[in-house]
Amino acid sequence: MNILKLVEEQLPMLSRQERKVAIQVIQNPSDVQKMSITTLASKVGVSNATITRFVKKMNCHDFYDFKLQLASERQKESKPSTKNSIADEVYSFYRNVLSDTWERLDTDQLKKVVDLISNCHRIYIFGIGSSGYTAQEMTQRLIRMGIAAFSMTESHIMYITSGIIGKDDVVLALSSSGSTTDLNKAAVIAQKNGAKVVGITGFEKSKLYELSDYPILVKNSNFVDNTRFINSQFAITYALDIITTMLLENETFSKRLSHTVELVMENKFHSNN
């Protein structure tokens, strides 16, 4: 079995300290491959003995053997998808959306948005329909960083919330079309109360883009030539991933997230300790 797959499979059965090692391996396999056992132990805050126990549970003789297996798996090339297969179609779709979104994104604008979120009192994430699910997911990310975030996915609640939002708050509005009437009206109300509006949309000539204090333009998935597979949220999610990653360059947010993840893992797997 692929060594990384084995680590993921064994994760629930590991001790709390061993899970720290496992997560580091899963998230940064190429880095772990270059580390000594002492360096890895220091990196994740465990003892050398913990790493030795961990690699033996992965059916490896020692840490050196574990790294050899890790290197072997990393060197294997991914199997190319069969031409004209469904997998190839989906890959092409994602590749086109990512490429076109990357070209549209303004790095300076993203930095301003990150600074805005970092210093706001509260952030309200607006999204209706599919964008509502994306709003909820982004809210969970921000909460785990210790940022006061709230998702608003129903128009009536958006109106109520917009009426009580303050000048130190931020609205992050998500809409592929940029023409969701209720979302745009709520964003305008929030602006009138002094809040800044960040809008992520796939249309530059849209109401949301025009009204936003910080507009972010992404690829509109409906313009990708694929009539059978349309993920309208993929480009928006990519932009949110970049914002999330930039936020985590802040040491405070990064430490809060690490602490939160550890608490969640501890609660999930406490019976194994």
Side-chain angles (χ1 to χ4, degrees):
M1 177 184 287
N2 180 304
I3 192 68
L4 287 175
K5 288 182 180 179
L6 179 61
V7 173
E8 292 181 15
E9 183 182 273
Q10 293 296 315
L11 188 65
M13 279 73 79
L14 300 176
S15 70
R16 181 173 63 85
Q17 294 295 85
E18 291 166 349
R19 285 198 297 271
K20 292 181 180 180
V21 181
I23 291 171
Q24 183 69 21
V25 169
I26 293 168
Q27 293 181 341
N28 304 288
S30 59
D31 291 342
V32 172
Q33 184 186 323
K34 302 170 187 175
M35 293 180 183
S36 67
I37 189 171
T38 302
T39 301
L40 178 58
S42 176
K43 176 75 174 177
V44 298
V46 301
S47 66
N48 287 18
T50 296
I51 296 177
T52 299
R53 288 193 298 271
F54 164 78
V55 298
K56 288 186 179 298
K57 289 183 179 180
M58 299 305 122
N59 301 321
C60 295
H61 179 67
D62 52 25
F63 185 58
Y64 180 72
D65 182 28
F66 178 80
K67 291 202 298 179
L68 284 178
Q69 292 198 36
L70 197 59
S72 176
E73 292 296 339
R74 300 269 309 158
Q75 288 171 0
K76 292 179 181 177
E77 294 184 1
S78 300
K79 280 179 21 180
S81 58
T82 305
K83 292 295 183 182
N84 300 318
S85 69
I86 291 177
D88 189 57
E89 285 186 52
V90 175
Y91 170 76
S92 295
F93 170 82
Y94 282 128
R95 181 185 59 195
N96 291 338
V97 172
L98 279 176
S99 176
D100 289 349
T101 298
W102 180 81
E103 291 179 1
R104 287 165 169 76
L105 290 174
D106 182 338
T107 303
D108 290 336
Q109 184 80 314
L110 290 172
K111 288 179 180 178
K112 292 176 183 177
V113 169
V114 168
D115 185 60
L116 191 69
I117 295 173
S118 299
N119 295 288
C120 72
H121 181 50
R122 291 165 298 199
I123 179 169
Y124 297 89
I125 308 177
F126 290 1
I128 294 176
S130 296
S131 295
Y133 295 115
T134 306
Q136 291 174 332
E137 201 277 334
M138 184 60 176
T139 299
Q140 289 299 313
R141 294 190 200 182
L142 296 178
I143 289 174
R144 290 185 179 193
M145 290 184 226
I147 297 172
F150 307 87
S151 57
M152 302 291 145
T153 60
E154 195 274 322
S155 57
H156 184 64
I157 299 299
M158 283 184 195
Y159 285 125
I160 294 174
T161 302
S162 295
I164 61 173
I165 282 177
K167 63 180 179 61
D168 295 321
D169 298 327
V170 170
V171 168
L172 174 56
L174 312 177
S175 173
S176 295
S177 68
S179 60
T180 307
T181 302
D182 289 336
L183 181 145
N184 290 338
K185 286 182 177 179
V188 169
I189 294 171
Q191 274 182 325
K192 289 180 179 178
N193 285 327
K196 297 297 182 183
V197 174
V198 177
I200 303 182
T201 180
F203 282 96
E204 188 170 4
K205 294 182 179 179
S206 66
K207 178 66 175 178
L208 178 59
Y209 190 92
E210 292 173 354
L211 71 84
S212 295
D213 299 294
Y214 298 87
I216 296 174
L217 184 65
V218 299
K219 175 70 174 180
N220 190 298
S221 301
N222 291 299
F223 291 159
V224 178
D225 185 20
N226 191 313
T227 58
R228 293 184 295 168
F229 183 84
I230 296 296
N231 182 342
S232 64
Q233 296 300 300
F234 187 63
I236 291 177
T237 301
Y238 175 47
L240 293 176
D241 285 344
I242 296 172
I243 291 171
T244 300
T245 304
M246 292 173 75
L247 282 168
L248 287 173
E249 291 183 341
N250 181 304
E251 186 177 359
T252 298
F253 295 152
S254 180
K255 285 183 177 179
R256 288 173 181 170
L257 178 62
S258 296
H259 178 64
T260 304
V261 170
E262 186 172 339
L263 287 175
V264 171
M265 296 291 285
E266 178 69 16
N267 181 63
K268 186 177 294 185
F269 302 125
H270 70 280
S271 60
N272 297 313
N273 294 328

